[in-house]
Amino acid sequence: MDWLQIVVLAAIQGFTEFLPISSSAHLILAPLLLGWTDQGLAFDVALHLGSLAAVMLYFRRDLVNMTISWTRSVTHRQLDDDAKLAWGVLLATIPVGLAGLLLKDAIEDQLRSPLYIAAGLIVFGLVLSWADWRHRGVREVNQMSWKDVLLIGLAQAVALFPGTSRSGITMTAGLLLGLSREATARFSFLLSIPVILMACALKSWDLYKSSLPVDWVFMAGGVLMSGISAFLCIHFFLAFISRIGMQPFVIYRIILGIALIWLFA
């Protein structure tokens, strides 16, 4: 890898991790379309660490309040809004955690082709479009029921299919359940924290078992660039989502999906 490849891939990861356009699809496709060799397991870990640092930094106050309230709910059984949100994030993470452990190898071996990615981009993009137009709600995160949380968690497990987009499918579910755009985006971003943690842990374990050499300078560059681009993405997405809606991302998904079918069919 050279620094151009590092900067491009880190920016792609940072910007697409939290947009409803599928970061995994872009990281699979970028080397194919640009003629680069696969970036490797160590760099994948670095990219995810950067995204994780960005979302935790952006929501640092929320995370502190949620942790304090969650601890209080365990020790004193006091369930306020922050504690409920913390429990909701944990509950919604269980389906994707189980699905990832059971299906990770099969999905990576069989469903990472450009045509499967194109199908995921188009089909789930159209579902997102419909949800945004027909089911735009006004409910906030603290108005979610446990049923809402579980349904969003089950939807998140579908994101293991390449091209789906974890943020896209969770925002789709949130919109269908009557959450506002801002609320569904905020909950989706908070949900990303345990998911990215699990992904980093699994990839780090695979890296440890493989005994591959690690270029720590390139790793640090990947973490920094991915973190900066992810932080900017979160900030501007939350600032403008109520005005721009989901349709621009749907159009992008459909165009990309059609281009992939044209190139690889």
Side-chain angles (χ1 to χ4, degrees):
M1 295 180 66
D2 57 31
W3 280 105
L4 175 62
Q5 188 173 354
I6 289 169
V7 171
V8 170
L9 292 177
I12 288 173
Q13 164 66 21
F15 282 115
T16 61
E17 177 67 39
F18 301 106
L19 295 179
I21 57 176
S22 182
S23 63
S24 60
H26 285 77
L27 287 178
I28 292 170
L29 293 172
L32 288 175
L33 296 176
L34 296 173
W36 292 339
T37 57
D38 186 86
Q39 59 267 23
L41 188 58
F43 196 65
D44 277 348
V45 174
L47 296 182
H48 282 84
L49 283 175
S51 297
L52 178 62
V55 70
M56 292 185 70
L57 179 62
Y58 192 89
F59 290 103
R60 59 193 181 279
R61 293 187 182 88
D62 300 76
L63 293 175
V64 170
N65 293 334
M66 288 165 60
T67 301
I68 294 171
S69 294
W70 181 85
T71 304
R72 190 183 299 122
S73 74
V74 173
T75 57
H76 297 89
R77 297 187 180 180
Q78 297 178 4
L79 194 66
D80 60 15
D81 287 343
D82 286 323
K84 185 178 178 182
L85 180 57
W87 280 111
V89 170
L90 293 175
L91 175 63
T93 302
I94 293 173
V96 71
L98 294 175
L101 290 173
L102 294 174
L103 303 174
K104 173 177 175 288
D105 292 338
I107 290 172
E108 289 189 350
D109 291 342
Q110 301 176 26
L111 299 180
R112 289 171 66 90
S113 77
L115 293 181
Y116 280 120
I117 293 171
L121 287 167
I122 294 172
V123 171
F124 290 105
L126 292 173
V127 177
L128 174 61
S129 177
W130 179 72
D132 189 47
W133 276 114
R134 298 291 301 274
H135 292 268
R136 194 177 307 159
V138 296
R139 290 200 296 148
E140 298 302 321
V141 170
N142 59 9
Q143 296 176 303
M144 288 191 302
S145 67
W146 295 115
K147 179 182 176 182
D148 295 333
V149 167
L150 183 58
L151 289 173
I152 293 174
L154 291 172
Q156 183 172 227
V158 179
L160 292 172
F161 187 97
T164 302
S165 170
R166 188 209 59 81
S167 60
I169 197 68
T170 51
M171 291 181 198
T172 299
L175 291 169
L176 290 173
L177 292 168
L179 295 180
S180 68
R181 287 169 173 166
E182 298 87 342
T184 193
R186 179 170 176 250
F187 189 60
S188 175
F189 292 159
L190 290 171
L191 277 182
S192 72
I193 295 173
V195 172
I196 298 175
L197 272 173
M198 289 190 297
C200 285
L202 287 173
K203 289 178 179 291
S204 296
W205 178 247
D206 291 341
L207 182 62
Y208 171 77
K209 291 190 298 182
S210 69
S211 300
L212 291 172
V214 176
D215 189 318
W216 294 105
V217 175
F218 281 180
M219 285 274 284
V223 171
L224 181 61
M225 287 299 304
S226 175
I228 292 172
S229 55
F231 189 92
L232 292 172
C233 173
I234 296 169
H235 175 74
F236 287 108
F237 186 85
L238 289 174
F240 296 108
I241 187 58
S242 63
R243 281 180 277 174
I244 64 175
M246 301 294 179
Q247 303 310 315
F249 305 106
V250 172
I251 294 170
Y252 173 80
R253 290 176 65 117
I254 293 173
I255 291 174
L256 180 59
I258 292 172
L260 291 176
I261 293 173
W262 181 71
L263 288 171
F264 295 100

